[in-house]
Amino acid sequence: MPSSQQYSVVPRDDFPDDLEDNPVKAPKSIFASILICISLLSFGILYLTLGAASLEPAIKSDDEYATAFRDHLARAGGDEYLLGVGKADITGPVVEINFMGYASLPQIGTGLRQRLYARTFIVGNTAVPTDRFVYMVLDTANGDTAIRNGILEGVAALGSGYSMYTTSNIAVTGTHSHSGPGAWLNYLLPQITSLGFDKQSYQAIVDGSVLSIKRAHESLKPGHLSYADTTVADANINRSLWAYLANPAAERAQYTSDVDKTITMLRFQRSVDGKNIGVLAWHSVHGTSMLENNTHVSGDNKGVSSYLFEKAMLSDTSAAPGFVAAFSQSSVGDTTPNVLGAWCDDGSGKQCTLDKSTCNGTSQACHGRGPAFQKVDLGVSSCYEIGTRVYKAAKTLYDKFDSVATPVQDASVKAYHTFNDMTFFKFPHSNGSIVQTCPAALGYAFAGGTTDGPGAFDFTQSNNDSNAQNPLWVIVSSVLKAPSPEQKACQSPKPVLLDVGELSTPYAWSPNIVDIQSFRVGQFIMIVSPSEATTMAGRRWKSAVAKAAISITTTTPKVVLGGPANTYAHYVTTPEEYGIQRYEGGSTLYGPNELEAYMYLSVSNLKYLAGTTTAKAPAGPSPPDNRKNSISLITGVVYDSPIIFRSWGDVITEPAATYARGAVVNATFVGANPRNNLRLEGTFLAVEQLVGSSWTTVRDDQDWFLVYTWKRVDGLIGSSEVTASWETESYATPGTYRIRYNGDWKALGGKITPFTAVSKQFTLV
Ligand SMILES: *[C@@H]1O[C@H](CO)[C@@H](O)[C@H](O)[C@H]1NC(C)=O
Ligand SMILES: *[C@@H]1O[C@H](CO)[C@@H](O)[C@H](O)[C@H]1NC(C)=O
Ligand SMILES: *[C@@H]1O[C@H](CO)[C@@H](O)[C@H](O)[C@H]1NC(C)=O
Ligand SMILES: *[C@@H]1O[C@H](CO)[C@@H](O)[C@H](O)[C@H]1NC(C)=O
Ligand SMILES: *[C@@H]1O[C@H](CO)[C@@H](O)[C@H](O)[C@H]1NC(C)=O
Ligand SMILES: CC(=O)N[C@H]1CO[C@H](CO)[C@@H](O)[C@@H]1O
């Protein structure tokens, strides 16, 4: 069965033509005055017709919708842009590959809870075809140099119609999920726990990302943008309060919270009928709801927020088919979704210490607790809950958007990208002194980890035994060296544990050359950060840009920050937080002046976002491309055989005859390794419902509550089994169902053959 088309997760848009040949060319001033006139008129008519009490009438038909939209548009103003959205599957190998994020050697995939996606938003100037930008949100831990290079090559290969998409205007951000396959990264350090680089894992992300750009491009149509903010009180807390408290009291007093609780939403609305094609939102919360002992692939809490939003839009008259909702990561550095605080799992019943997050002197027993931590389900319930809280706040904002949003205006669509080498990079501090950043280095606090997990890349902690288990670590540890005196002084007061920026054997360990990039549409400015900014670092960075941007925008600038993007440059804290050297300070790679450097680079390059400019930012030095020379100790699939006395397509354990809603329906099949075929844009599992006399797919791999688990039965024979678990939802419809499993087995000679298996039917009451 199942070719990709059958399970296409992104309904193709209904109008594929690009409007480039037919741009809207009305002079702006005339357009604006007409808008104002219509605005006054239509408001009057609307007021008379509907009466003051029902200014936001319930909209029933598409025609009514379009009429209401035109009225709204007339009231709201705002310029017209070329807008497109696209979404595509980037789910890499879901088993036998180490997860990216916690850098925990035992955290190796065993299945799939939710497919991963690239969500792409294109904004263009209607009159100038080259003035565009492409903001991508990937369900991955971060953006990356290898991935970005692959995407740039893939887009170039799409042909001349795509020549306006370049290194300047493509931003690759990650949601910072910690529950997807790794082994796709450009630098050695994050490759260590994944045992190197895996071409399949890399290619899945690149191919899906390129497809999402293609879809976004094909959907380009004139439309309007507007933005609004809301807050979500209970979806994040600060996980490094001790460091945050080192920031000046007067500065902290300007803010009501020690984490950023804001959701900023940018709405994409097409002109033709006023339907919304997507929302791009920024919110700050770590993708660490799924715990370090979870081994099912998912998009973590941001994956849940997008899933719920897109699902709601399927039956919402305001949304066009193919609606894309992305939640881009923002000032994530010191945030955690474990909102009940960090507690000692040692029977003491105490909270971890504020300054060091330890219990009885060590960090091992200290764990953050999510809202549903009592469930002891590897974070699944807490993840769904945090994702739901953000979704609900975002949806509430969306529902009243017309009455609260600010239209984006001024036709300028601008982007720049430049590489900057942070190795002893000298620049003017805002206080007038010349200061510098340093080659990348990680401090001792890095090895201490966080309350969300005993530490990203925490391979040096504890003892020699765990190190000995990692063959790649054994290979590379011999080249470790002490930092140069210059580096030591530069990084002070950070004590250097891993001098990664001064290591290039066998190849670069961490980026010294980082991507500096920003986008602008009208007064809306996007800082694209390679590092995870802490709350206060993000605030300082955004306000420095907002202050400087007044000179280039025609109305008050609105600045957002998205990342980690384009490469993975760990964290950026304020200098005061850096002085405290908690995990985030220990992971601020380029020393105490890193934030100041980012602010300087963002502000000094703002000139490339000026509406009148045609100047391009200099390319800067090239970072190393390690795709070809990366180590890989990851073995491929050798062959599959069915379990003895069984065949492909056999069901080992059938579901029961009847289930009550809320129960878990399990079916176990003779399985094969899912790395044989990732089934991108397709599905491994499907729940089919009997409707009349035919079976209709009602759940597939994109659904949170349908879980795929793969288990090796016998390594020598090559046999395995797959369990489909449908955690039936309270909203599931009673009826007759069955479960389908789509697999692909590999023969000894390498030939891969698809097969399908179907369970017995069962009843859900
Ligand atoms: C997973 O890890 C958490 C701590 O982060 C722990 O409380 C929980 O018991 C673990 N679950 C299992 C099934 O090991
Ligand atoms: C704390 O450490 C001390 C000394 O190592 C030990 O005796 C005590 O049992 C520990 N307490 C808890 C709650 O683990
Ligand atoms: C400016 O700040 C830097 C970094 O904190 C510091 O080293 C320098 O002394 C300061 N210069 C002045 C003039 O205050
Ligand atoms: C690990 O370290 C312990 C002492 O810290 C030592 O006794 C042991 O021999 C070491 N093991 C290996 C494999 O080096
Ligand atoms: C269903 O399958 C999952 C995954 O293998 C397993 O963890 C769970 O215990 C099973 N539940 C039942 C009721 O058999
Ligand atoms: C606003 C907020 O949630 N602050 C939290 C920051 O972290 C400390 C320590 O975990 C909590 O006690 C605060 O409530």
Side-chain angles (χ1 to χ4, degrees):
M1 109 149 238
S3 71
S4 349
Q5 286 94 329
Q6 214 161 345
Y7 288 110
S8 178
V9 280
V10 187
R12 289 297 290 262
D13 223 323
D14 36 351
F15 38 72
D17 336 320
D18 195 327
L19 264 226
E20 251 154 65
D21 300 327
N22 203 1
V24 179
K25 281 191 182 118
K28 252 200 308 304
S29 53
I30 298 175
F31 191 55
S33 12
I34 293 173
L35 275 183
I36 292 166
C37 296
I38 299 174
S39 162
L40 295 172
L41 244 167
S42 66
F43 186 82
I45 294 167
L46 202 69
Y47 193 90
L48 288 175
T49 323
L50 302 168
S54 52
L55 268 182
E56 299 293 342
I59 288 157
K60 292 195 184 64
S61 72
D62 281 8
D63 279 354
E64 283 174 34
Y65 193 88
T67 308
F69 165 69
R70 277 191 291 273
D71 290 341
H72 158 69
L73 188 63
R75 282 202 305 276
D79 275 67
E80 198 165 55
Y81 307 96
L82 217 43
L83 304 178
V85 300
K87 174 184 166 188
D89 190 347
I90 58 167
T91 315
V94 300
V95 305
E96 299 186 309
I97 300 290
N98 185 256
F99 277 11
M100 174 59 199
Y102 290 114
S104 162
L105 198 56
Q107 196 189 13
I108 292 171
T110 61
L112 176 70
R113 176 169 282 278
Q114 181 189 41
R115 279 196 176 259
L116 307 179
Y117 296 97
R119 293 179 169 86
T120 294
F121 297 78
I122 301 181
V123 176
N125 183 310
T126 52
V128 188
T130 50
D131 278 358
R132 298 238 176 127
F133 64 75
V134 181
Y135 191 98
M136 308 186 70
V137 182
L138 273 52
D139 285 333
T140 56
N142 48 267
D144 175 73
T145 303
I147 296 294
R148 190 167 187 276
N149 283 334
I151 293 172
L152 290 171
E153 290 163 7
V155 170
L158 291 175
S160 58
Y162 289 77
S163 61
M164 69 288 278
Y165 306 117
T166 63
T167 183
S168 301
N169 61 18
I170 296 181
V172 184
T173 79
T175 59
H176 207 41
S177 163
H178 285 48
S179 52
W184 40 263
L185 292 104
N186 189 56
Y187 291 94
L188 180 61
L189 184 66
Q191 292 177 0
I192 291 177
T193 36
S194 67
L195 305 183
F197 187 83
D198 183 68
K199 184 75 195 311
Q200 185 185 40
S201 193
Y202 157 85
Q203 204 66 52
I205 299 172
V206 168
D207 290 351
S209 296
V210 172
L211 182 57
S212 76
I213 292 176
K214 185 165 181 283
R215 287 179 171 154
H217 176 80
E218 287 170 349
S219 81
L220 282 168
K221 283 275 163 185
H224 289 77
L225 291 168
S226 46
Y227 67 87
D229 283 355
T230 191
T231 56
V232 47
D234 52 1
N236 63 357
I237 66 164
N238 193 302
R239 73 175 190 194
S240 258
L241 189 59
W242 187 244
Y244 179 87
L245 291 172
N247 294 309
E251 183 184 31
R252 285 185 281 118
Q254 294 169 32
Y255 302 99
T256 52
S257 176
D258 54 30
V259 284
D260 195 341
K261 306 268 185 193
T262 314
I263 300 174
T264 298
M265 185 187 284
L266 184 64
R267 187 185 67 178
F268 289 60
Q269 185 171 48
R270 67 189 185 194
S271 299
V272 60
D273 59 1
K275 299 260 185 188
N276 300 321
I277 59 171
V279 290
L280 171 54
W282 286 263
H283 180 252
S284 311
V285 63
H286 248 84
T288 48
S289 285
M290 300 299 275
L291 302 174
E292 197 181 323
N293 46 16
N294 159 62
T295 54
H296 283 92
V297 168
S298 81
D300 207 273
N301 53 55
K302 289 204 162 9
V304 171
S305 302
S306 284
Y307 169 67
L308 293 175
F309 208 115
E310 287 168 358
K311 197 147 68 89
M313 290 301 114
L314 292 173
S315 55
D316 192 308
T317 50
S318 71
F323 187 99
V324 177
F327 289 80
S328 188
Q329 193 54 267
S330 189
S331 300
V332 58
D334 52 359
T335 65
T336 173
N338 293 319
V339 294
L340 299 184
W343 295 80
C344 298
D345 286 338
D346 58 5
S348 67
K350 287 189 179 145
Q351 282 206 279
C352 316
T353 58
L354 185 62
D355 55 347
K356 294 199 164 72
S357 297
T358 52
C359 299
N360 211 9
T362 70
S363 57
Q364 268 67 25
C366 175
H367 288 289
R369 289 181 178 174
F373 82 100
Q374 306 94 326
K375 290 259 164 75
V376 196
D377 60 1
L378 315 176
V380 172
S381 303
S382 289
C383 186
Y384 195 75
E385 176 60 23
I386 294 293
T388 301
R389 289 177 185 183
V390 173
Y391 154 69
K392 279 187 177 158
K395 178 66 167 45
T396 303
L397 177 63
Y398 176 86
D399 287 341
K400 61 175 185 197
F401 217 73
D402 286 342
S403 55
V404 296
T406 305
V408 176
Q409 47 198 323
D410 166 354
S412 308
V413 177
K414 294 285 170 184
Y416 74 79
H417 177 278
T418 182
F419 284 115
N420 192 74
D421 191 346
M422 303 297 266
T423 308
F424 304 118
F425 165 63
K426 293 181 182 54
F427 66 97
H429 191 282
S430 50
N431 68 14
S433 298
I434 297 295
V435 295
Q436 66 176 1
T437 54
C438 334
L442 291 153
Y444 278 78
F446 164 78
T450 72
T451 54
D452 291 340
F457 313 109
D458 192 11
F459 44 85
T460 57
Q461 205 178 269
S462 68
N463 58 46
N464 48 15
D465 293 342
S466 60
N467 294 341
Q469 284 167 22
N470 185 336
L472 185 50
W473 185 239
V474 172
I475 294 174
V476 299
S477 58
S478 62
V479 302
L480 278 182
K481 62 173 201 55
S484 65
E486 198 187 6
Q487 166 75 319
K488 247 182 170 160
C490 186
Q491 292 280 354
S492 171
K494 180 207 286 171
V496 174
L497 172 70
L498 289 173
D499 188 22
V500 285
E502 295 189 309
L503 287 172
S504 53
T505 315
Y507 46 92
W509 285 52
S510 286
N512 283 329
I513 295 172
V514 294
D515 302 70
I516 303 297
Q517 188 174 41
S518 292
F519 293 163
R520 170 205 176 181
V521 50
Q523 78 273 39
F524 199 90
I525 294 174
M526 306 172 188
I527 302 169
V528 180
S529 171
S531 302
E532 300 181 44
T534 60
T535 304
M536 198 61 98
R539 285 169 177 162
R540 286 188 197 172
W541 193 349
K542 285 187 285 184
S543 56
V545 169
K547 212 170 124 203
I550 291 173
S551 63
I552 60 163
T553 59
T554 52
T555 147
T556 313
K558 172 71 179 176
V559 181
V560 293
L561 181 149
N566 296 331
T567 193
Y568 185 53
H570 295 243
Y571 285 69
V572 56
T573 62
T574 66
E576 295 88 342
E577 292 163 353
Y578 187 86
I580 302 298
Q581 282 296 305
R582 278 180 57 94
Y583 177 81
E584 297 79 15
S587 304
T588 294
L589 293 179
Y590 311 114
N593 298 315
E594 178 175 327
L595 174 61
E596 194 70 34
Y598 281 149
M599 285 160 52
Y600 165 77
L601 289 163
S602 291
V603 168
S604 61
N605 284 303
L606 262 183
K607 56 179 182 276
Y608 299 112
L609 300 184
T612 48
T613 193
T614 50
K616 286 259 167 257
S622 295
D625 181 350
N626 298 324
R627 286 177 295 172
K628 295 258 153 57
N629 55 11
S630 281
I631 296 174
S632 181
L633 304 179
I634 301 164
T635 46
V637 180
V638 185
Y639 58 87
D640 295 278
S641 297
I643 294 169
I644 293 185
F645 305 125
R646 296 274 192 181
S647 319
W648 303 118
D650 280 6
V651 184
I652 299 169
T653 311
E654 292 283 4
T658 307
Y659 292 89
R661 263 177 297 170
V664 179
V665 178
N666 267 9
T668 300
F669 304 89
V670 170
N673 197 313
R675 290 160 72 201
N676 292 330
N677 179 357
L678 303 177
R679 290 187 174 262
L680 287 166
E681 303 285 315
T683 199
F684 294 121
L685 297 181
V687 174
E688 299 176 346
Q689 185 176 12
L690 186 62
V691 182
S693 59
S694 62
W695 292 94
T696 310
T697 298
V698 293
R699 303 282 186 281
D700 63 20
D701 286 355
Q702 67 188 311
D703 288 291
W704 182 259
F705 294 105
L706 179 60
V707 184
Y708 168 99
T709 303
W710 179 81
K711 204 171 103 197
R712 170 66 75 209
V713 174
D714 187 319
L716 202 61
I717 295 175
S719 56
S720 58
E721 61 183 39
V722 162
T723 300
S725 307
W726 180 24
E727 301 162 357
T728 58
E729 311 87 353
S730 56
Y731 56 81
T733 324
T736 303
Y737 294 91
R738 65 184 189 186
I739 292 180
R740 180 179 294 279
Y741 158 52
N742 301 308
D744 304 87
W745 68 276
K746 184 173 182 179
L748 200 49
K751 183 169 181 269
I752 291 169
T753 311
F755 63 91
T756 191
V758 187
S759 77
K760 282 200 177 123
Q761 65 184 55
F762 56 91
T763 309
L764 189 68
V765 293

Coordinates of all heavy atoms in Angstrom, one line a residue, residues 200-242:
Q200 N 21.4 9.5 6.8 CA 19.9 9.4 6.7 C 19.2 10.4 7.6 O 18.2 11.0 7.2 CB 19.5 8.0 7.1 CG 18.0 7.7 6.9 CD 17.6 6.3 7.4 OE1 18.1 5.8 8.4 NE2 16.8 5.7 6.6
S201 N 19.8 10.6 8.9 CA 19.2 11.5 9.8 C 19.2 12.9 9.3 O 18.3 13.7 9.3 CB 19.9 11.4 11.1 OG 19.2 12.0 12.2
Y202 N 20.4 13.3 8.7 CA 20.6 14.6 8.1 C 19.7 14.8 6.9 O 19.1 15.8 6.8 CB 22.1 14.6 7.7 CG 22.5 15.6 6.7 CD1 22.7 17.0 7.0 CD2 22.6 15.2 5.3 CE1 23.1 17.9 6.0 CE2 22.9 16.2 4.3 CZ 23.1 17.5 4.7 OH 23.5 18.4 3.7
Q203 N 19.7 13.8 6.0 CA 19.0 14.0 4.7 C 17.5 14.2 5.0 O 16.8 14.9 4.2 CB 19.3 12.8 3.8 CG 19.1 13.1 2.4 CD 20.1 14.1 1.8 OE1 21.3 13.9 2.0 NE2 19.6 15.2 1.2
A204 N 16.9 13.5 6.0 CA 15.5 13.6 6.2 C 15.1 15.1 6.6 O 14.1 15.6 6.1 CB 15.1 12.7 7.4
I205 N 16.0 15.7 7.4 CA 15.7 17.1 7.8 C 15.9 18.0 6.6 O 15.0 18.9 6.3 CB 16.6 17.5 9.0 CG1 16.4 16.6 10.2 CG2 16.4 18.9 9.3 CD1 17.3 16.8 11.3
V206 N 16.9 17.8 5.8 CA 17.2 18.7 4.7 C 16.1 18.5 3.6 O 15.5 19.5 3.2 CB 18.6 18.3 4.1 CG1 18.8 19.0 2.7 CG2 19.7 18.7 5.0
D207 N 15.8 17.3 3.3 CA 14.8 17.1 2.2 C 13.4 17.7 2.6 O 12.7 18.3 1.8 CB 14.6 15.6 1.9 CG 15.9 15.0 1.2 OD1 16.7 15.9 0.8 OD2 15.9 13.8 1.0
G208 N 13.0 17.4 3.8 CA 11.7 17.9 4.3 C 11.7 19.4 4.4 O 10.7 20.1 4.0
S209 N 12.8 20.0 4.8 CA 12.9 21.5 4.9 C 12.8 22.1 3.5 O 12.1 23.1 3.3 CB 14.3 21.9 5.5 OG 14.3 21.4 6.8
V210 N 13.5 21.5 2.5 CA 13.5 22.0 1.1 C 12.0 21.9 0.6 O 11.5 22.8 0.0 CB 14.5 21.3 0.2 CG1 14.3 21.7 -1.2 CG2 15.9 21.6 0.7
L211 N 11.4 20.8 0.9 CA 10.0 20.6 0.4 C 9.1 21.7 1.1 O 8.2 22.2 0.4 CB 9.5 19.2 0.8 CG 8.1 18.8 0.3 CD1 7.9 19.0 -1.2 CD2 7.8 17.4 0.7
S212 N 9.3 22.0 2.3 CA 8.5 23.0 3.0 C 8.7 24.4 2.3 O 7.7 25.1 2.2 CB 8.7 23.0 4.5 OG 9.9 23.7 4.8
I213 N 9.9 24.6 1.9 CA 10.2 25.9 1.2 C 9.4 25.9 -0.1 O 8.8 26.9 -0.5 CB 11.7 26.2 1.0 CG1 12.4 26.4 2.4 CG2 11.9 27.3 0.1 CD1 13.9 26.5 2.3
K214 N 9.5 24.8 -0.8 CA 8.9 24.7 -2.1 C 7.4 24.9 -2.0 O 6.7 25.7 -2.7 CB 9.2 23.3 -2.7 CG 8.7 23.1 -4.1 CD 9.3 21.8 -4.7 CE 8.9 21.6 -6.1 NZ 7.5 21.0 -6.2
R215 N 6.8 24.3 -1.0 CA 5.3 24.4 -0.8 C 5.0 25.9 -0.4 O 4.0 26.4 -0.9 CB 4.9 23.5 0.4 CG 4.8 22.1 -0.1 CD 4.4 21.1 1.0 NE 4.2 19.8 0.4 CZ 4.3 18.7 1.0 NH1 4.6 18.6 2.3 NH2 4.0 17.5 0.4
A216 N 5.8 26.5 0.5 CA 5.6 27.9 0.8 C 5.7 28.8 -0.4 O 4.8 29.7 -0.6 CB 6.6 28.3 1.9
H217 N 6.7 28.5 -1.2 CA 6.8 29.3 -2.4 C 5.6 29.2 -3.4 O 5.1 30.2 -3.9 CB 8.1 28.9 -3.1 CG 8.4 29.6 -4.4 ND1 8.9 30.8 -4.5 CD2 8.2 29.2 -5.7 CE1 9.0 31.2 -5.8 NE2 8.6 30.2 -6.5
E218 N 5.2 27.9 -3.5 CA 4.1 27.7 -4.4 C 2.8 28.3 -3.9 O 1.8 28.5 -4.7 CB 3.9 26.2 -4.7 CG 5.0 25.6 -5.6 CD 5.0 24.1 -5.6 OE1 4.3 23.5 -4.8 OE2 5.8 23.6 -6.5
S219 N 2.7 28.6 -2.6 CA 1.5 29.1 -2.1 C 1.5 30.6 -2.0 O 0.5 31.2 -1.5 CB 1.2 28.5 -0.7 OG 2.0 29.2 0.3
L220 N 2.6 31.3 -2.5 CA 2.7 32.7 -2.4 C 1.5 33.5 -3.0 O 1.1 33.2 -4.2 CB 4.0 33.2 -3.0 CG 5.3 33.0 -2.2 CD1 6.5 33.3 -3.1 CD2 5.3 33.9 -1.0
K221 N 0.9 34.4 -2.3 CA -0.2 35.2 -2.7 C -0.2 36.5 -2.0 O 0.3 36.5 -0.8 CB -1.6 34.5 -2.4 CG -1.9 33.3 -3.3 CD -2.6 33.8 -4.5 CE -2.6 32.7 -5.6 NZ -3.2 33.2 -6.8
P222 N -0.7 37.6 -2.5 CA -0.7 38.8 -1.7 C -1.6 38.7 -0.5 O -2.6 37.9 -0.4 CB -1.4 39.8 -2.7 CG -1.3 39.2 -4.0 CD -1.3 37.7 -3.9
G223 N -1.1 39.3 0.6 CA -1.8 39.3 1.8 C -1.3 40.3 2.8 O -0.4 41.1 2.5
H224 N -1.9 40.2 4.0 CA -1.5 41.2 5.0 C -1.0 40.5 6.3 O -1.3 39.4 6.5 CB -2.8 42.0 5.4 CG -3.2 43.0 4.4 ND1 -3.8 42.6 3.2 CD2 -2.9 44.3 4.3 CE1 -4.0 43.7 2.5 NE2 -3.5 44.7 3.1
L225 N -0.1 41.2 7.0 CA 0.4 40.7 8.2 C 0.0 41.6 9.4 O -0.1 42.8 9.2 CB 1.9 40.8 8.2 CG 2.6 39.8 7.2 CD1 4.1 40.2 7.1 CD2 2.5 38.4 7.7
S226 N -0.3 41.0 10.5 CA -0.5 41.8 11.7 C 0.0 41.0 12.9 O 0.2 39.8 12.8 CB -2.0 42.2 11.9 OG -2.8 41.1 11.6
Y227 N 0.3 41.7 13.9 CA 0.9 41.0 15.1 C 0.2 41.4 16.4 O -0.4 42.5 16.5 CB 2.4 41.2 15.2 CG 2.8 42.7 15.5 CD1 2.9 43.1 16.8 CD2 3.0 43.6 14.5 CE1 3.2 44.4 17.1 CE2 3.4 44.9 14.8 CZ 3.5 45.3 16.1 OH 3.8 46.6 16.4
A228 N 0.3 40.6 17.4 CA -0.3 40.9 18.7 C 0.5 40.0 19.7 O 1.0 39.0 19.4 CB -1.8 40.6 18.8
D229 N 0.4 40.5 21.0 CA 1.1 39.8 22.1 C 0.0 39.3 23.0 O -1.1 39.9 23.2 CB 1.9 40.7 22.9 CG 3.3 41.0 22.2 OD1 3.5 40.4 21.2 OD2 4.0 41.9 22.7
T230 N 0.3 38.2 23.7 CA -0.4 37.8 24.9 C 0.6 37.1 25.8 O 1.7 37.0 25.5 CB -1.6 36.8 24.5 OG1 -2.4 36.6 25.7 CG2 -1.1 35.4 24.1
T231 N 0.1 36.8 27.0 CA 1.0 36.1 27.9 C 0.4 34.8 28.3 O -0.8 34.6 28.3 CB 1.3 36.9 29.2 OG1 0.0 37.2 29.8 CG2 2.0 38.2 28.9
V232 N 1.2 33.8 28.7 CA 0.8 32.6 29.2 C 1.5 32.4 30.6 O 2.7 32.3 30.6 CB 0.9 31.4 28.2 CG1 2.3 31.3 27.6 CG2 0.6 30.1 28.9
A233 N 0.7 32.4 31.6 CA 1.3 32.5 33.0 C 2.0 31.2 33.4 O 3.0 31.3 34.1 CB 0.2 32.9 34.0
D234 N 1.4 30.1 33.1 CA 1.9 28.9 33.7 C 2.5 27.8 32.8 O 2.4 26.6 33.0 CB 0.6 28.2 34.4 CG -0.5 28.1 33.4 OD1 -0.4 28.4 32.2 OD2 -1.6 27.6 33.9
A235 N 3.2 28.3 31.8 CA 3.9 27.4 30.9 C 5.4 27.4 31.0 O 6.1 26.6 30.3 CB 3.4 27.6 29.4
N236 N 6.0 28.3 31.8 CA 7.4 28.3 31.9 C 7.8 28.9 33.3 O 7.1 29.8 33.8 CB 8.1 29.0 30.8 CG 7.7 30.5 30.7 OD1 6.9 31.0 31.4 ND2 8.3 31.2 29.7
I237 N 8.9 28.5 33.8 CA 9.5 29.2 35.0 C 11.0 29.3 34.8 O 11.5 28.7 33.8 CB 9.2 28.5 36.4 CG1 9.8 27.2 36.5 CG2 7.7 28.5 36.6 CD1 9.9 26.7 37.9
N238 N 11.6 30.0 35.6 CA 13.1 30.2 35.5 C 13.8 29.1 36.2 O 13.5 28.7 37.3 CB 13.4 31.5 36.2 CG 14.8 32.0 35.9 OD1 15.8 31.2 36.1 ND2 14.9 33.2 35.4
R239 N 14.8 28.5 35.4 CA 15.5 27.4 36.0 C 16.9 27.8 36.5 O 17.7 27.0 36.9 CB 15.7 26.2 35.0 CG 16.6 26.5 33.9 CD 16.8 25.3 33.0 NE 17.9 25.6 32.1 CZ 18.2 24.9 31.0 NH1 17.5 23.9 30.7 NH2 19.3 25.1 30.3
S240 N 17.2 29.1 36.4 CA 18.4 29.7 36.9 C 18.2 31.0 37.6 O 18.9 32.0 37.3 CB 19.5 29.8 35.8 OG 20.4 28.8 35.8
L241 N 17.3 31.0 38.5 CA 16.9 32.2 39.2 C 18.1 32.8 39.9 O 18.3 34.1 39.9 CB 15.8 31.9 40.2 CG 15.1 33.1 40.9 CD1 14.5 34.0 39.8 CD2 14.1 32.7 41.9
W242 N 19.0 32.0 40.4 CA 20.2 32.5 41.1 C 21.0 33.4 40.2 O 21.5 34.4 40.7 CB 21.0 31.3 41.7 CG 22.1 31.7 42.5 CD1 23.4 31.5 42.3 CD2 22.0 32.3 43.8 NE1 24.2 32.0 43.4 CE2 23.3 32.5 44.3 CE3 21.0 32.8 44.6 CZ2 23.6 33.0 45.6 CZ3 21.3 33.3 45.9 CH2 22.6 33.5 46.3

